[in-house]
Amino acid sequence: MSSITSVLRRQLWRAVCSMAGGLTTSGAPQRYSGGQVIVANHASHADTAALLAAVPAANRLLFAAAADYWFDVWWRRALMSGLAGGLPVRRDGGSGYAALLDAARGPLADGRTVVIYPEGTRSTDGSVGRFHSGAVRLARDCGVPIVPVALLGTGDVLAKHGRFRTTPMEVRFGPRLDASTADADQLRQAVIGLLGQGPVAQSTSPAQRAVARLIDGNRAIAVGLAWGFAEAISWPIMAEMALVFFGVADARRIPVLAASTAAGSVCGVAVTAALARRGILPPAPLTTPRMRAAARDHLRGGAAGIWHQALGGVPVKVYARAAGELRLPTTRFVAATAAERSARMAGCAAVIMLLERPARPVIRRFYGTYLGVTGVVFAGTLRKIVRYWD
């Protein structure tokens, strides 16, 4: 029964860690048939979640917990045993180490893994404090190996006295050490060495990497110009969706992508208006006669009527066609369009960058899913807009 519980518990915390920013593991293989003690740096309550998600379920993790608090009433006992794999340690009288040894000896002999945070408290600045000797003594007295582990990113997810935020996490496993020859300072140095191997590894999806390459460097300018130009002539997907579909893959490129999309849109508007002036009307899918009538009404008073497009549901290509048919002065209309498109794209870019930042770790891990969901939502919204104007 405990094996089934360990499997379910690991799957639960893997899902939680994925939604919290993603979790990667590295280092020595951790599948082990015997008992062992894991020691790790401690910066957050998220440390326990990360270890539960990273260590194979077959190792059946246990975390020492005060028996007089976590196991005194049924609901806390169920919470600690079911979600965290709590190991009840009595604190009433006697030596603290003696209580830990009494509680952990049986599970270690049964092949389970006991996790101890030797610092005794969570770090507030990311530094690794002095390691107490209890973990080494426990491994030595029980005849099991001891494993140094470094936890990265957990303090950013849920800092001590801080608020939750999404960010990548990593669990780095060191080699198993013989407890008979190890000491607390050696373990501390091993953990510090693991922490110093580099920044947190970030897991991203193949779709995210492909889209990021697509908008890397000057390619973002080309993509924006092409999308904006095509949408202003015939392409039915609004220009701002270029930022949603492509820009989120690499938020640093959003300003360039927004500016180039606006520029492409203005160029496309100028071409569409010029064609309409000559009676040439490019296909305009997903537009309606009512949209065209509204655009003509807005522009009868002059080029400034294009500003109605900023907050309306009428595509800019419809306004461009109406401007050509009404024979508005080209220079004035293009200038007004440039101001309107720039303002709208800048506003959309600012909102997208604001919303993207906290969701970035999750979106980058599931970018294919993100593209699918946003595509479906956009299609549904576009359908409603067209029905409204039909």
Side-chain angles (χ1 to χ4, degrees):
M1 185 66 179
S2 62
S3 296
I4 297 176
T5 301
S6 296
V7 170
L8 294 176
R9 183 186 298 130
R10 185 177 188 235
Q11 294 305 315
L12 168 65
W13 289 113
R14 281 172 65 87
V16 170
C17 289
S18 291
M19 297 309 297
L23 177 71
T24 56
T25 61
S26 60
Q30 281 309 297
R31 190 169 296 279
Y32 187 64
S33 58
Q36 62 181 347
V37 174
I38 284 179
V39 295
N41 56 301
H42 195 27
S44 168
H45 287 313
D47 294 337
T48 298
L51 285 168
L52 285 166
V55 176
N59 291 2
R60 295 177 295 160
L61 252 60
L62 288 173
F63 294 81
D68 58 315
Y69 177 77
W70 286 107
F71 294 86
D72 63 337
V73 295
W74 70 269
W75 66 268
R76 278 200 294 257
R77 181 167 59 250
L79 183 69
M80 178 56 65
S81 299
L83 295 182
L87 175 67
V89 178
R90 298 193 175 279
R91 299 186 296 185
D92 50 338
S95 165
Y97 173 71
L100 174 63
L101 178 61
D102 182 61
R105 190 191 297 274
L108 286 171
D110 190 38
R112 303 195 69 166
T113 296
V114 174
V115 176
I116 295 177
Y117 301 117
E119 295 167 272
T121 186
R122 288 170 291 159
S123 172
T124 58
D125 59 4
S127 63
V128 181
R130 183 178 70 89
F131 275 20
H132 298 288
S133 62
V136 177
R137 294 173 61 192
L138 177 66
R140 186 180 301 144
D141 291 346
C142 294
V144 298
I146 192 163
V147 184
V149 174
L151 302 172
L152 295 86
T154 53
D156 295 323
V157 171
L158 188 61
K160 187 175 183 179
H161 308 307
R163 295 185 299 176
F164 170 82
R165 67 189 187 96
T166 56
T167 192
M169 296 173 284
E170 183 180 358
V171 178
R172 293 177 184 165
F173 295 98
R176 289 181 182 83
L177 302 176
D178 184 350
S180 65
T181 59
D183 58 37
D185 187 62
Q186 180 184 353
L187 290 173
R188 179 175 179 272
Q189 293 303 318
V191 170
I192 291 175
L194 291 169
L195 290 170
Q197 290 179 0
V200 179
Q202 299 192 30
S203 176
T204 58
S205 72
Q208 186 274 333
R209 294 192 294 272
V211 175
R213 287 194 297 270
L214 178 66
I215 61 171
D216 186 39
N218 291 333
R219 285 192 287 264
I221 299 175
V223 169
L225 286 171
W227 190 290
F229 185 82
E231 191 265 342
I233 294 178
S234 186
W235 179 241
I237 303 179
M238 58 195 289
E240 293 77 10
M241 293 307 293
L243 307 185
V244 175
F245 290 147
F246 301 140
V248 174
D250 185 353
R252 298 171 301 175
R253 309 303 297 159
I254 288 180
V256 173
L257 191 60
S260 57
T261 303
S265 182
V266 173
C267 293
V269 163
V271 170
T272 299
L275 292 174
R277 185 185 293 269
R278 292 167 174 77
I280 303 173
L281 305 178
L286 302 180
T287 62
T288 69
R290 188 178 168 207
M291 288 181 180
R292 293 190 284 274
R296 290 176 68 91
D297 288 343
H298 294 156
L299 292 175
R300 288 189 193 280
I306 187 66
W307 284 94
H308 287 278
Q309 197 276 331
L311 298 177
V314 180
V316 72
K317 66 177 72 68
V318 176
Y319 282 87
R321 172 177 170 175
E325 292 173 336
L326 293 172
R327 297 188 174 277
L328 293 182
T330 300
T331 302
R332 290 183 182 179
F333 180 67
V334 171
T337 300
E340 183 271 333
R341 299 307 284 165
S342 297
R344 175 163 164 151
M345 290 300 295
C348 289
V351 171
I352 291 170
M353 292 178 72
L354 181 66
L355 297 177
E356 178 271 344
R357 180 63 186 88
R360 181 181 302 168
V362 177
I363 290 177
R364 290 190 173 186
R365 283 173 59 84
F366 304 102
Y367 207 79
T369 302
Y370 162 77
L371 290 176
V373 170
T374 52
V376 169
V377 171
F378 173 74
T381 303
L382 183 60
R383 182 170 180 268
K384 290 182 179 180
I385 291 173
V386 173
R387 289 182 62 183
Y388 172 80
W389 284 99
D390 191 2

